[in-house]
Amino acid sequence: MNLVLFLLSGVFLPLFPLSWLFNRLVASAPGGWAKALSILVLPQLGVLLLWASGPWFSGISNPWHGLVAALALCTAILYAFRAISVREITIWARFMATSGLALAWLQVLAGVSVAQVQLSLLAWSIPGALLCLWAGELARRMGGAYIGLSGGVARVLPRLSALLATGALAATATPVFPGFFALLKTMGTLPAGWILFLLPVLFLWGWSIGRFLQDLLFGVYRGTAVEDLGTAGTWAGALVLVVFAITGLFFWGATWTVS
Amino acid sequence: MDSQLTLGDRLRVRSMIYVASEPIPRFWPMRTFIHHNPLFGLEHLPFEKAVGEGTRLFHGRGYLSRQEYQRYRAEGKVDDAALRKQIGAFVARNSGRIPTGIDLENWLWTLATSWPAERLVSGAEWLTGPGLYAALHDQNREEDGVGPETVVRLEAILKRRVAADAPVYMNVDRLFGTDLGATLDELLVKSCLDFFDEGQSAWQAPNREQGFFAAWKEVARRNARFLLRGLQLRQLLQVEETPEGMVAHILRLLKVPESSWQAYITRQLTRLHGWAGFIRYRSSARHYYWSRKHPADLTDFLAVRMVLGMALLQEAVRHHGAPGNAEAVRCFVASDSWGAYLRLELHEGRILPGWAHLVEDDLARRRSRNREDLARRYISAKSRREADLQAKALQSLAGLVGEGTVQSLQVLSTGEIEALLDLLRDWEHGEGFVWLQAMESHYIAALVEKIHVPPPDPEPEKRPFAQAFFCIDVRSEPMRRQLEALGDYETFGIAGFFGIPIGYLEFGKGSESHLCPAVQTPKNLVPEIPADLDLEEEPLYGALEHILHDLKGSILSPFVAVEAIGLIFSLGLIGRTVAPLTYYQLHGHLEAKKPVTRLLLDKLSPEQADSILRAVQRAMIVRALAKELRIGRDQVTDDEVRELREIAMGHVQGPSALALRLGLGETREAGFIARLREVYRVDRQETGLQMERLGRIGFSLEEQVRYVTQALLSTGLNRNFSRFVLLVSHESQTENNPYESALDCGACSGGRGLPNARALAAMANKPEIRRRLRENGITIPDDTWFLPAVHNTTTDAVDLHDIEMLPARHLLYLERLRNGLSAATRRCAARRMPTLGAPAKLTEDPYAAAVMARRQAHDWSQVRPEWGLSRNLYGIIGRRVLTEGVDLDGRAFLQSYDYRLDPKGRMLENILSSPVVVGEWINLEHYFSTVDVEHYGSGSKVYHNVAGRFAVMTGNQSDLRTGLPTQTVLKDGRPYHEPVRLIALVEAPVPFVLRAVGNLAKVRSLLFGGWMRVIVLDPEDGYRAHVLEDGALHIHPASGRSRPQNSLEEIAS
Amino acid sequence: MNTLNLNPLKKLEIILEGAHKDFATDLLDRAGVKGYTIVGNLSGKGSHGIYEGHIMFNEDDVLIMIIVAVPEELVPPILEGFTPFFEKHTGVVFVSDIQVSRLVKFKN
């Protein structure tokens, strides 16, 4: 096994402590589109590097495997926890994506095929990327994508807020969206005792999405007038989300329930 | 243990609390909703100043937004000439400051009438002349935020935003983003709900007789909820016993300088002004039952608040490292000004969004080397942004003003730009008041034009078919108009209590209700006696009802009764919602019919009082025998009862014949006598008090003559009486409405005026009274009959009462009277229902409209059963001939008054000091609830929950909501009531009016302080209208014109 | 005839608007005075203008005077207690020396 390639893959497919580098890379990307692209592409790169680094692991019995699995769970819990206190949407999306992507390691350790892992990575990357895009739109209108300052953004920017809210729900594995099924699949690969450690992740995600929606949707808006997202942008965004959900429902969901 | 606090300190704190509480308006329990001016405590100031002070204390806005006024202007409700005049006056006042080349008048006109936003000049903190100049000229400003003047400005900003006299917890909230304020309010409201509950909750708080603070202390020591929040109250509570001692102690702990104590206390009290207003009312209401039982005053309230605040603050000190007292806050801010400023920006939500995360990260570090640099950069960005926004706004406005104005803006120097900005800011500060005056000017002109000047030679008076006295309430105006148009009816306006203040004891109710304006206390008691008086039986159906409803209140009953009788309740639920009219018709059959009653109006002679008392005492003894000793009525003789009474009074000693006959032991008998004395109040002292109370019953003959004379003379009816003289009181009928008293008669303190009407009618029908009146010059013909009636303002129906007392020959005309009244009812309903959401074509169908009106009265889901007093505008004091046939659209209080019958002016003084003041209260209540429904009004009814049976809160718990709800004053988010001060018109000579006003200090300060507007229509000066404006009377240009009399036919068709 | 035994006390005459009568009497009660006398319907002139003195439609707009005799040690606390009130309202307090014969009515 090539250690260098393995470590590199830990950067792109975030695993603590190398996940810090992943976050730095994404944060340094200029603008919403660049950030979105990096969230989509880098994990794929990470999986390919991992595949190139040596034979796939199978089973958690090997102590090294156990260590990696534990690190993956820790990464997920840590970033979910950090996401709760963050109010800037781009950063929130980044942390939530990291948290979800780390769970892919568990699938890798369970011997799932590369193609499957790549697809389930998309389940986390796509919502993260979309959120970065829309956060950029919000920042352009309000000066920053910081929610919770005065609240009530939903009243003045209903379409954009709807997209942001739905995207955030997708990022936290709400059913219908593929993240939910990917999570179920991950749970399926774990031995029974380990599922207990996956539950804090779910709990923290739930708390996080609750705070996010509260800060985004409620309150009284007290600022200058802003223009909402145009119809074209709204339709495009809605279409992507719908396709995302349908794909998840029919392909992932169906295959998972059948298998 | 009261540590180091002298008696003087404690008295001083009490005094400060009293002074601080004065601006807070009293809040009456909603059972007797009194419309009052929310700024009643500030009425000694002129209107404009008081509104500003109200904004400072209660955070409520005093005027509508500019867009709303522009909309009114588009609807033609604003007098442009008046607006221009005010702008001209402003320009003239500030002529020395106007920069050259700026046509300020044009600028202000455009700003007021065409600028689409609320504010042009924002409350920017860093905006400077040079910065604005640079933004206007698109110059680069890199030096902002770097120089020493930044530090100076920063100090000033910090001093303002972290105010020295603001409560410490508020400053901590601002600096650390904690929500101590909200938590404190929540805990305090919960404590208040527990203590002040008036029987709504099933489990009641203990020890409430000891007073609010004492009872609360006991519970707080062991309160699990407080412990869960980490509050440690035990040590704090041990230090002081008295509430004022506790307040002083905590103020010392917080290191608030003594000179600031008064301001500090005021701010704490005005925070929850609903609860504070209620406690203020309660502690001064001597006859309020709950206040005697569970005493509480504002000092207790403040003490509880400060203890909770201190505990929360101590917890924040432990948790967040926040400063724990005022001095520590000052040191904290002084030691790290940059950090403090960034904190304020972040936690108050005013930060530029793009910087939020950076600032948050930096503040999270304990020590940051780059903080000053970050702050300076932020300030530079912020000032640039503020300058850009302001420059854009100014240029946009200049573009609206006209061509060439933008250039004139660009050529201004830095100093001149600052001057312009200051002028605009000053103008905007007073713009609301200017708009208000312009709207009033329009309505004053409209009224002066509409008023009929009476012809110099009046036609000979024909005898009308019926005359009717209505309350001055605005809802009577449409009814009066319709009735007059239908036939020979003559109507008069009189205050709803008909000038007779009575304490009314309704049959079946145990307590006395005051039917008179809230400022008076009635001295006479009037009980209602049923024709067949039986002190011992209870109607069967009434008992069933009582049992049914009582079950709902018990804790265990849901488990027991739900299977058995739950279905019965569901019938009610479904019936009431789906088919309210049918349900109530059926339910009406179940209820016992109210028996025929009379009012006891004449004073009792001592013998009569004595025999009544004996009868009541006998009945009490019989009941006691049944209850205590299980001896039935048939087993006792009257003599035995009499003997027991004598023993209880102490006149006679020894075992009674009854005891001997039935073999009761001595102790048992003694115990029975003791219970008779204590519980059933059959003893000598009580008898004395009861005789005194009985002495209050009724009116003497002189008093009755006086009241009838006053009622007739003050309204101008002293001759040409018709066959029927109706005395129409009014009430409303609604279901499930905590505000139902608000819709009832304000002159009767939120009750119904029917007892007063019945009383006046009974007095005026007495031959003895009529004889005395004839001696005094008022001749009432023999075939005139005074008849009481009730106008139901929700359904517009007028029901006659006491018909069984009508003489026979009047019965022949009763049908015609009834027909007239019901026709008027239907036509009123037809005009009114479309305003409540019915389709406009209902105006053509009076019968359907009347049915809809009845449904409104019975529908428990209806949040707007009627509009009530919304849209009130005018108060007209004069003869009906001025307004006969004029369509005032239900917006005028009409008080009949004939100055020729009032040579000394005493009646005018009465009218000015009572109904006019009540009218002003109603008007200002509606005004402030309309302009700021969240702070002065009570928000949407949909979220209201009844608190303790005396008030409403929004949501689960909140401050008590004062004022009127949105459904009463707004329609579809826009104001339905037009917020304008009351415009009163008085028909009397000017010197006469001025003399009357001069005798009344309160009315004089209201008029000259601008709390209402006044027009004097001088009959001895050709009926010219003199308008009071800016402290002097001016003749209105449109006055003295007479209008043709064809409007009556228009209405009748 | 027995010679009367006279004891020195201080008399406070507090003139204020009738609307605040309850507040003033409450404060005096809490200070521990044993009784007071209230004189109503006063007229006069002050820095706020002239008071007419006849009864308005309510009893609040008139001036009243509360006369109370207290031992010397109660005078400073009472004056201190009324200070915040008189900073915002019309009225005065006069303190004078008097002598009373039945001390038990005024002092514990």
Side-chain angles (χ1 to χ4, degrees):
Chain A
M1 183 185 77
N2 194 333
L3 196 60
V4 171
L5 284 179
F6 179 72
L7 285 174
L8 261 179
S9 71
V11 171
F12 294 123
L13 185 65
L15 190 69
F16 190 75
L18 301 163
S19 52
W20 179 79
L21 274 171
F22 174 76
N23 277 289
R24 283 286 107 225
L25 278 172
V26 175
S28 63
W33 282 98
K35 287 196 173 75
L37 220 59
S38 55
I39 292 188
L40 279 173
V41 164
L42 290 179
Q44 305 290 325
L45 196 57
V47 162
L48 290 174
L49 281 173
L50 188 59
W51 184 63
S53 75
W56 285 101
F57 309 97
S58 56
I60 307 266
S61 43
N62 191 322
W64 285 113
H65 306 175
L67 179 64
V68 171
L71 266 180
L73 279 173
C74 285
T75 320
I77 294 178
L78 174 69
Y79 278 91
F81 188 66
R82 285 186 71 183
I84 294 177
S85 59
V86 157
R87 291 229 186 108
E88 171 94 39
I89 299 183
T90 326
I91 302 179
W92 189 88
R94 187 157 42 91
F95 284 166
M96 291 303 294
T98 313
S99 181
L101 292 170
L103 291 177
W105 279 94
L106 295 171
Q107 291 191 333
V108 165
L109 290 175
V112 176
S113 70
V114 178
Q116 283 279 21
V117 175
Q118 283 185 311
L119 282 177
S120 64
L121 282 179
L122 282 179
W124 305 114
S125 297
I126 294 183
L130 287 174
L131 279 176
C132 284
L133 274 180
W134 292 326
E137 290 291 318
L138 188 62
R140 201 171 320 146
R141 283 164 174 73
M142 292 185 55
Y146 195 89
I147 51 177
L149 273 182
S150 64
V153 173
R155 221 172 280 251
V156 285
L157 298 171
R159 293 186 216 140
L160 190 54
S161 310
L163 288 176
L164 279 170
T166 328
L169 284 170
T172 47
T174 313
V176 164
F177 290 107
F180 178 67
F181 300 109
L183 190 64
L184 277 181
K185 203 172 176 72
T186 315
M187 249 201 248
T189 64
L190 282 178
W194 287 67
I195 295 187
L196 197 60
F197 297 102
L198 198 57
L199 291 181
V201 179
L202 290 174
F203 172 66
L204 290 170
W205 283 355
W207 189 355
S208 180
I209 186 67
R211 277 205 68 161
F212 184 92
L213 289 177
Q214 181 188 337
D215 287 335
L216 178 69
L217 299 177
F218 300 106
V220 178
Y221 185 67
R222 260 182 289 256
T224 51
V226 282
E227 223 183 82
D228 202 355
L229 200 61
T231 27
T234 325
W235 278 114
L239 194 65
V240 171
L241 278 174
V242 165
V243 166
F244 188 54
I246 292 180
T247 339
L249 205 54
F250 285 117
F251 295 111
W252 263 294
T255 53
W256 185 82
T257 42
V258 161
S259 67
Chain B
M1 171 185 66
D2 287 352
S3 60
Q4 295 162 342
L5 276 174
T6 62
L7 175 63
D9 281 330
R10 255 175 264 132
L11 293 178
R12 204 154 45 93
V13 169
R14 258 195 189 265
S15 198
M16 280 193 221
I17 294 173
Y18 179 76
V19 171
S21 72
E22 286 184 307
I24 302 172
R26 263 174 253 234
F27 180 81
W28 276 264
M30 289 187 73
R31 294 187 293 277
T32 53
F33 187 96
I34 312 281
H35 287 274
H36 64 277
N37 179 3
L39 299 185
F40 179 70
L42 300 170
E43 266 180 355
H44 54 277
L45 299 168
F47 181 76
E48 203 184 352
K49 257 203 200 75
V51 167
E53 186 69 14
T55 307
R56 198 181 64 82
L57 285 171
F58 305 115
H59 307 287
R61 47 184 309 157
Y63 307 100
L64 291 174
S65 68
R66 182 184 283 141
Q67 293 98 309
E68 282 297 341
Y69 284 123
Q70 285 169 349
R71 246 180 290 204
Y72 278 135
R73 181 166 174 266
E75 289 171 8
K77 296 184 179 158
V78 172
D79 185 357
D80 276 354
L83 196 52
R84 276 203 189 276
K85 194 173 82 147
Q86 292 280 353
I87 291 177
F90 181 83
V91 171
R93 271 201 307 273
N94 294 292
S95 53
R97 293 159 59 190
I98 305 178
T100 43
I102 295 285
D103 180 7
L104 189 63
E105 209 168 314
N106 231 344
W107 274 75
L108 293 179
W109 176 258
T110 319
L111 175 62
T113 55
S114 320
W115 185 250
E118 169 93 47
R119 273 211 164 315
L120 174 73
V121 180
S122 60
E125 292 178 319
W126 296 100
L127 192 58
T128 55
L132 189 52
Y133 183 86
L136 279 172
H137 296 262
D138 276 327
Q139 289 168 1
N140 227 336
R141 293 277 303 178
E142 290 300 339
E143 323 84 71
D144 271 346
V146 179
E149 70 277 2
T150 317
V151 180
V152 173
R153 271 192 106 117
L154 181 67
E155 297 294 320
I157 291 173
L158 284 176
K159 204 158 174 218
R160 196 170 37 90
R161 282 166 80 169
V162 185
D165 64 350
V168 178
Y169 70 80
M170 205 178 279
N171 284 334
V172 169
D173 278 344
R174 287 189 187 132
L175 289 171
F176 289 87
T178 50
D179 58 352
L180 297 177
T183 314
L184 174 59
D185 286 340
E186 201 185 301
L187 291 175
L188 183 59
V189 167
K190 184 69 177 67
S191 306
C192 286
L193 280 174
D194 289 339
F195 183 82
F196 290 106
D197 181 83
E198 294 182 0
Q200 190 182 0
S201 52
W203 270 340
Q204 311 262 316
N207 295 333
R208 290 193 280 169
E209 311 77 42
Q210 296 173 10
F212 186 20
F213 186 63
W216 179 81
K217 248 195 332 181
E218 285 305 313
V219 177
R221 277 192 242 263
R222 311 180 185 95
N223 192 328
R225 191 187 296 115
F226 293 163
L227 287 174
L228 274 176
R229 286 180 192 270
L231 301 185
Q232 289 164 6
L233 292 168
R234 209 169 293 199
Q235 283 165 318
L236 197 54
L237 288 173
Q238 274 170 353
V239 177
E240 286 287 338
E241 279 296 317
T242 56
E244 55 266 25
M246 187 57 90
V247 171
H249 173 73
I250 293 182
L251 283 173
R252 292 230 169 96
L253 273 182
L254 289 172
K255 299 221 175 93
V256 178
E258 285 199 19
S259 51
S260 307
W261 279 18
Q262 181 74 72
Y264 198 93
I265 290 176
T266 311
R267 283 185 84 143
Q268 290 272 21
L269 277 180
T270 51
R271 187 94 186 124
L272 290 177
H273 67 268
W275 280 105
F278 175 65
I279 297 174
R280 202 182 157 216
Y281 156 78
R282 202 173 175 276
S283 57
S284 59
R286 263 163 270 131
H287 59 268
Y288 195 57
Y289 167 72
W290 293 98
S291 146
R292 285 201 307 265
K293 218 171 144 198
H294 306 142
D297 65 15
L298 279 173
T299 315
D300 294 325
F301 180 72
L302 187 65
V304 172
R305 186 181 172 89
M306 298 208 69
V307 170
L308 284 171
M310 193 71 206
L312 282 168
L313 189 62
Q314 285 168 346
E315 208 246 332
V317 169
R318 281 193 296 270
H319 235 113
H320 299 270
N325 58 51
E327 222 175 87
V329 168
R330 247 196 321 276
C331 290
F332 181 81
V333 169
S335 66
D336 182 14
S337 318
W338 302 106
Y341 177 69
L342 291 176
R343 279 178 185 286
L344 287 175
E345 287 286 288
L346 180 64
H347 294 299
E348 286 188 314
R350 295 162 64 157
I351 198 168
L352 298 177
W355 291 77
H357 194 74
L358 281 171
V359 169
E360 204 178 5
D361 262 349
D362 187 85
L363 288 173
R365 301 194 194 110
R366 217 169 268 282
R367 240 169 308 198
S368 163
R369 278 162 288 132
N370 310 346
R371 192 163 291 173
E372 180 170 336
D373 180 58
L374 176 65
R376 283 188 187 271
R377 276 187 298 134
Y378 172 74
I379 291 171
S380 153
K382 184 147 198 219
S383 55
R384 241 175 297 137
R385 187 176 155 77
E386 284 176 354
D388 281 338
L389 283 174
Q390 188 69 75
K392 229 178 290 199
L394 278 176
Q395 281 165 336
S396 173
L397 179 62
L400 280 176
V401 172
E403 298 187 29
T405 324
V406 184
Q407 279 88 318
S408 65
L409 179 65
Q410 297 291 114
V411 304
L412 291 178
S413 74
T414 313
E416 285 177 326
I417 290 189
E418 260 192 66
L420 178 63
L421 205 63
D422 282 337
L423 280 170
L424 291 173
R425 190 182 295 123
D426 287 342
W427 164 257
E428 281 195 322
H429 194 68
E431 190 175 333
F433 191 52
V434 167
W435 279 107
L436 178 64
Q437 290 173 303
M439 267 183 91
E440 285 167 357
S441 176
H442 165 83
Y443 279 115
I444 289 176
L447 182 63
V448 171
E449 284 169 11
K450 271 198 219 167
I451 288 278
H452 287 160
V453 172
D457 311 309
E459 316 165 0
E461 286 172 345
K462 195 163 89 80
R463 192 186 197 201
F465 170 65
Q467 288 155 331
F469 281 81
F470 282 86
C471 179
I472 58 177
D473 194 292
V474 296
R475 291 166 286 181
S476 309
E477 193 266 333
M479 187 54 127
R480 289 172 66 171
R481 206 178 349 118
Q482 297 291 352
L483 205 55
E484 284 166 354
L486 276 173
D488 279 332
Y489 293 93
E490 195 182 354
T491 65
F492 297 86
I494 189 175
F497 71 116
F498 295 96
I500 311 181
I502 63 178
Y504 182 58
L505 273 177
E506 194 173 341
F507 171 63
K509 285 228 168 81
S511 60
E512 173 191 335
S513 43
H514 290 189
L515 296 177
C516 60
V519 292
Q520 294 178 5
T521 319
K523 295 197 185 53
N524 308 76
L525 203 60
V526 171
E528 188 185 14
I529 315 259
D532 45 355
L533 178 61
D534 192 344
L535 289 169
E536 288 166 36
E537 263 194 43
E538 221 183 337
L540 176 62
Y541 292 131
L544 263 182
E545 257 222 314
H546 188 72
I547 293 171
L548 272 180
H549 283 272
D550 221 32
L551 259 179
K552 280 200 288 189
S554 147
I555 293 185
L556 293 178
S557 57
F559 304 104
V560 170
V562 107
E563 285 99 16
I565 62 171
L567 196 58
I568 301 183
F569 280 108
S570 76
L571 287 175
L573 183 71
I574 296 173
R576 261 191 270 214
T577 315
V578 171
L581 278 179
T582 329
Y583 173 78
Y584 277 102
Q585 271 165 10
L586 292 175
H587 193 259
H589 292 315
L590 246 190
E591 277 178 344
K593 290 233 186 314
K594 201 161 174 222
V596 173
T597 60
R598 299 262 186 283
L599 296 181
L600 188 55
L601 283 174
D602 298 311
K603 282 235 182 271
L604 298 169
S605 68
E607 298 83 36
Q608 284 173 315
D610 192 51
S611 66
I612 289 181
L613 200 52
R614 278 171 196 272
V616 171
Q617 282 171 337
R618 276 201 298 271
M620 285 280 123
I621 292 174
V622 167
R623 190 173 294 184
L625 281 172
K627 215 166 158 208
E628 308 280 330
L629 298 177
R630 309 228 185 279
I631 300 174
R633 180 75 185 85
D634 317 322
Q635 297 169 294
V636 210
T637 66
D638 282 341
D639 281 337
E640 288 168 343
V641 173
R642 199 176 307 127
E643 197 192 353
L644 280 171
R645 179 183 176 267
E646 297 298 311
I647 296 177
M649 299 291 252
H651 298 158
V652 166
Q653 287 285 0
S656 60
L658 182 68
L660 288 173
R661 182 164 66 84
L662 294 176
L664 297 170
E666 220 182 274
T667 38
R668 212 157 161 226
E669 197 200 358
F672 176 68
I673 299 287
R675 275 198 73 83
L676 264 187
R677 288 199 182 121
E678 277 168 31
V679 179
Y680 294 88
R681 312 266 203 93
V682 184
D683 87 351
R684 196 167 16 185
Q685 234 173 341
E686 278 298 322
T687 308
L689 288 171
Q690 282 160 352
M691 282 293 275
E692 211 181 293
R693 255 199 131 210
L694 284 173
R696 274 183 65 204
I697 292 182
F699 299 89
S700 68
L701 203 55
E702 288 74 33
E703 284 178 323
Q704 294 188 28
V705 171
R706 190 158 46 91
Y707 282 126
V708 177
T709 313
Q710 201 161 13
L712 292 177
L713 285 184
S714 69
T715 49
L717 177 64
N718 65 341
R719 62 194 182 289
N720 197 22
F721 289 87
S722 69
R723 200 171 278 115
F724 287 106
V725 179
L726 298 176
L727 303 173
V728 187
S729 62
H730 72 101
E731 63 171 14
S732 75
Q733 182 186 2
T734 51
E735 290 288 322
N736 191 23
N737 187 6
Y739 284 92
E740 62 185 354
S741 313
L743 296 172
D744 284 335
C745 186
C748 304
S749 304
R752 49 209 291 260
L754 180 59
N756 306 70
R758 294 175 71 191
L760 186 61
M763 287 183 204
N765 285 333
K766 267 201 215 154
E768 177 62 30
I769 305 279
R770 290 210 186 168
R771 196 173 57 76
R772 297 277 191 102
L773 285 175
R774 207 174 308 131
E775 287 167 17
N776 290 345
I778 305 177
T779 310
I780 303 181
D782 285 334
D783 66 342
T784 298
W785 190 260
F786 286 76
L787 199 56
V790 177
H791 174 205
N792 182 329
T793 51
T794 316
T795 61
D796 269 327
V798 178
D799 292 320
L800 305 170
H801 279 255
D802 284 349
I803 301 194
E804 57 280 349
M805 301 211 279
L806 264 181
R809 53 191 165 155
H810 283 77
L811 292 173
L812 300 170
Y813 300 95
L814 198 59
E815 190 63 31
R816 182 175 162 197
L817 181 64
R818 279 217 170 104
N819 283 340
L821 288 172
S822 43
T825 300
R826 284 193 293 273
R827 301 172 99 178
C828 275
R831 285 282 297 270
R832 222 165 37 89
M833 288 301 114
T835 61
L836 283 167
K841 61 176 169 58
L842 213 60
T843 333
E844 317 289 322
D845 188 357
Y847 282 91
V851 170
M852 179 183 166
R854 282 213 311 279
R855 191 171 199 277
Q856 296 275 112
H858 289 110
D859 189 355
W860 69 335
S861 67
Q862 179 62 255
V863 284
R864 188 186 284 143
E866 55 162 308
W867 278 112
L869 292 145
S870 277
R871 300 197 90 219
N872 68 78
L873 181 60
Y874 298 120
I876 299 178
I877 303 167
R879 294 173 294 152
R880 181 59 175 154
V881 69
L882 292 177
T883 49
E884 199 159 1
V886 177
D887 184 358
L888 289 166
D889 198 19
R891 303 184 77 173
F893 294 99
L894 297 172
Q895 163 84 46
S896 293
Y897 173 70
D898 193 338
Y899 76 98
R900 299 168 298 191
L901 298 176
D902 183 27
K904 294 212 200 96
R906 288 267 175 266
M907 292 185 192
L908 182 61
E909 284 179 20
N910 261 342
I911 292 175
L912 284 176
S913 60
S914 221
V916 165
V917 171
V918 171
E920 183 240 353
W921 283 359
I922 293 175
N923 174 273
L924 285 173
E925 172 100 89
H926 282 79
Y927 175 92
F928 285 107
S929 296
T930 310
V931 299
D932 194 340
V933 80
E934 285 303 322
H935 285 105
Y936 287 122
S938 62
S940 172
K941 270 193 195 178
V942 174
Y943 307 114
H944 280 173
N945 275 305
V946 177
R949 269 214 199 147
F950 51 82
V952 291
M953 301 184 296
T954 294
N956 185 21
Q957 55 188 33
S958 76
D959 189 16
L960 296 183
R961 300 311 300 262
T962 56
L964 297 168
T966 51
Q967 281 85 358
T968 304
V969 289
L970 303 181
K971 187 174 183 184
D972 298 330
R974 283 204 60 210
Y976 179 77
H977 171 78
E978 287 169 8
V980 166
R981 291 173 290 181
L982 186 70
I983 298 173
L985 179 106
V986 183
E987 182 202 8
V990 169
F992 185 77
V993 174
L994 286 179
R995 198 176 60 227
V997 169
N999 287 340
L1000 302 168
K1002 177 74 181 165
V1003 177
R1004 190 174 62 231
S1005 80
L1006 283 181
L1007 285 181
F1008 286 94
W1011 290 90
M1012 51 190 270
R1013 305 299 303 271
V1014 119
I1015 309 172
V1016 182
L1017 209 58
D1018 194 336
E1020 287 165 14
D1021 188 15
Y1023 276 94
R1024 291 204 290 181
H1026 300 248
V1027 182
L1028 181 66
E1029 200 155 342
D1030 299 327
L1033 286 171
H1034 309 277
I1035 297 190
H1036 197 273
S1039 49
R1041 295 209 305 255
S1042 178
R1043 287 278 304 271
Q1045 290 278 67
N1046 53 7
S1047 343
L1048 271 174
E1049 284 81 46
E1050 281 167 18
I1051 297 173
S1053 59
Chain C
M1 203 164 97
N2 295 332
T3 47
L4 283 173
N5 214 355
L6 290 176
N7 309 92
L9 276 183
K10 295 279 186 185
K11 176 170 75 158
L12 293 171
E13 285 161 316
I14 307 169
I15 300 180
L16 70 169
E17 284 168 320
H20 309 290
K21 178 177 74 139
D22 291 333
F23 159 72
T25 52
D26 180 63
L27 206 63
L28 290 170
D29 285 333
R30 285 175 192 274
V33 308
K34 295 194 89 177
Y36 45 78
T37 309
I38 304 181
V39 181
N41 289 356
L42 302 180
S43 56
K45 177 181 165 188
S47 50
H48 286 250
I50 300 183
Y51 276 86
E52 295 288 301
H54 65 254
I55 301 177
M56 315 292 176
F57 73 97
N58 54 24
E59 298 100 42
D60 289 347
D61 280 337
V62 294
L63 287 179
I64 61 168
M65 174 162 72
I66 306 179
I67 307 175
V68 61
V70 294
E72 192 168 347
E73 57 267 16
L74 276 184
V75 172
I78 294 179
L79 290 179
E80 223 182 308
F82 274 102
T83 311
F85 175 79
F86 283 117
E87 274 172 17
K88 291 273 165 69
H89 293 277
T90 54
V92 288
V93 182
F94 300 127
V95 185
S96 44
D97 289 307
I98 57 166
Q99 293 175 311
V100 296
S101 56
R102 297 176 60 195
L103 190 64
V104 65
K105 288 192 87 170
F106 302 96
K107 204 169 175 169
N108 285 336

